[in-house]
């Protein structure tokens, strides 16, 4: 933990008076070295975003395809990505779990439909090219089902774990007025549609089909918005990682994720999830060959969750930090 | 601090020919809710849409909230306000008439 990184400029807080009985730590004027809400992150030099979902939705909007005012024109794969929710993580057996800190977490929820995807997007632009880091504390669940109980249940492994499909983090970056534009996408594939556990991190090998490409007749499928064909995913070397589902559909354990990509080099740098650090510098990142207008300096971040079966899948995020080195 | 607010679009230009429920939506943080149902198209002899607010303790098991249902017989926008609804909301929508068919957009406007 590099504590020098926690010298955060918080002008409003710096000038606020503290009660006399509260010991004020020694610090340079205008700097707070030990904000406990940030001490669990490892940000780069400048924090652009600190999203604590006890404070609200923080700009994580529903992803939607391009349209010209007529929502009938929305592409099927991107017409129903669901609005994010502020969840207090309530479950039917024990009530409110709460988030990692506080009460609320950002929640993405699919429909109870195979391959349905819920996606939220945070839309920024960048000042300078270079390393960008996204960090979050997350957890994931499949909705409780009430099917006939499995007589072979061993009291440890829950069949519910087989009902969680995939979650993906991705970006959308356009370097200038005419591009280049590229998209990095990293997916945790938990289980196949048959319920077989995979538990591996993947990267995509083809481009997300844009609305412009769709209108040129280039759409091949409508069940995975990230790729041209559904099998255009490869395993990240060393990317096998069973996460902590914790035996039931109602116990949530928070995981740390840190993803770095470099807009100057137009590639991923690394992905850390708890103790697993994956070097991604050698992984190819597809780039669009054609220009896109009105995307100058685009810097978008996306989170999504995709159901492998007809069971709602949930992705919860307690908090997130986006930082850069400019 | 100004009051937090959020609008969720739960259905977008969606076409239905039979009863449905909107997806469960978590509302624990909000003290005010207002449904907006926009009927963009409606066809079928005597077609009628009836939308009833439902509440749930867990997003799994549901009951009617108790406020009178919204009823619509043609194209237009209608609204219903709710308070003290707990942590989850959805709309239970029934269609009646001969071969009813509706295209709707449904909003849930929430405020702290």
């Amino acid at each position: 933990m590099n504590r020098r990184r926690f010298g955060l400029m918080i002008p409003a807080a710096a000038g606020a008076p503290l009660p006399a009985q509260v010991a004020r730590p020694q610090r340079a004027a205008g700097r707070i070295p030990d904000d406990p809400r940030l001490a669990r992150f490892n940000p780069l030099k400048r924090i652009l975003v600190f999203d604590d979902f006890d404070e609200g939705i923080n700009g994580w909007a529903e992803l939607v395809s391009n349209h010209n005012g007529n929502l009938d024109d929305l592409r099927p794969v991107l017409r129903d990505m669901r609005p994010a929710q502020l969840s207090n993580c309530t479950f039917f057996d024990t009530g409110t779990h709460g988030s990692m800190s506080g009460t609320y977490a950002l929640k993405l929820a699919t429909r109870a439909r195979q391959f349905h995807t819920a996606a939220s997007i945070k839309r920024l632009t960048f000042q300078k090219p270079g390393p960008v880091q996204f960090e979050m504390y997350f957890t994931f669940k499949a909705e409780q089902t009430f099917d006939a109980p499995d007589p072979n249940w061993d009291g440890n492994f829950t069949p519910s774990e087989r009902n969680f499909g995939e979650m993906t983090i991705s970006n959308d970056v356009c370097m200038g007025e005419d591009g280049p534009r590229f998209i990095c996408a990293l997916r945790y594939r938990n289980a196949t549609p048959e319920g077989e556990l995979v538990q591996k991190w993947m990267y995509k090998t083809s481009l997300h089909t844009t609305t412009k490409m769709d209108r040129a007749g280039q759409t091949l499928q409508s069940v995975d918005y990230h790729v041209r064909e559904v099998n255009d995913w490869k395993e990240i070397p060393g990317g096998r990682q069973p996460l902590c589902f914790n035996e039931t559909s109602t116990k949530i354990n928070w995981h740390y994720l840190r993803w770095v990509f470099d807009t100057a080099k137009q590639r991923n740098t690394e992905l850390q999830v708890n103790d697993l650090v994956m070097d991604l510098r050698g992984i190819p990142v597809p780039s669009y060959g054609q220009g896109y207008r009105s995307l100058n300096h685009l810097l978008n971040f996306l989170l999504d969750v995709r159901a492998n079966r007809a069971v709602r899948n949930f992705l919860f995020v307690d908090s997130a930090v986006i930082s850069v080195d400019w | 601090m100004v009051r937090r607010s959020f609008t969720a679009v739960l259905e977008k230009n969606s076409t239905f020919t039979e009863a449905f429920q909107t997806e469960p939506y978590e509302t624990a943080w909000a003290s005010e809710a207002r449904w907006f149902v926009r009927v963009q198209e409606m066809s079928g002899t005597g077609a009628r849409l009836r939308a009833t607010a439902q509440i749930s303790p867990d997003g799994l098991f549901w009951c009617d909230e108790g406020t009178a249902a919204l009823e619509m017989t043609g194209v237009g926008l209608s609204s219903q306000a709710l308070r003290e609804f707990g942590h989850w909301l959805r709309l239970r929508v029934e269609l009646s008439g001969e071969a009813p068919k509706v295209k709707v957009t449904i909003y849930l406007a929430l405020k702290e």
Side-chain angles (χ1 to χ4, degrees), chain A residues 62 72 79 84-85 107, chain B residues 4 12 23 25-26 103:
Chain A
E62 178 182 353
D72 288 338
R79 66 163 290 125
Q85 305 179 47
K107 177 185 175 183
Chain B
R4 294 167 181 85
K12 285 193 286 284
E23 285 293 292
Y25 200 83
E26 297 208 30
K103 183 160 82 175

Side-chain angles (χ1 to χ4, degrees), chain A residues 86-116:
Chain A
L86 291 177
S87 171
N88 61 5
C89 308
T90 290
F91 298 96
F92 80 104
D93 53 354
T94 54
T96 298
H97 200 300
S99 56
M100 181 171 164
S101 291
T103 302
Y104 295 103
L106 183 77
K107 177 185 175 183
L108 279 59
T110 71
R111 291 184 187 262
R113 181 189 306 157
Q114 188 177 44
F115 304 137
H116 185 263

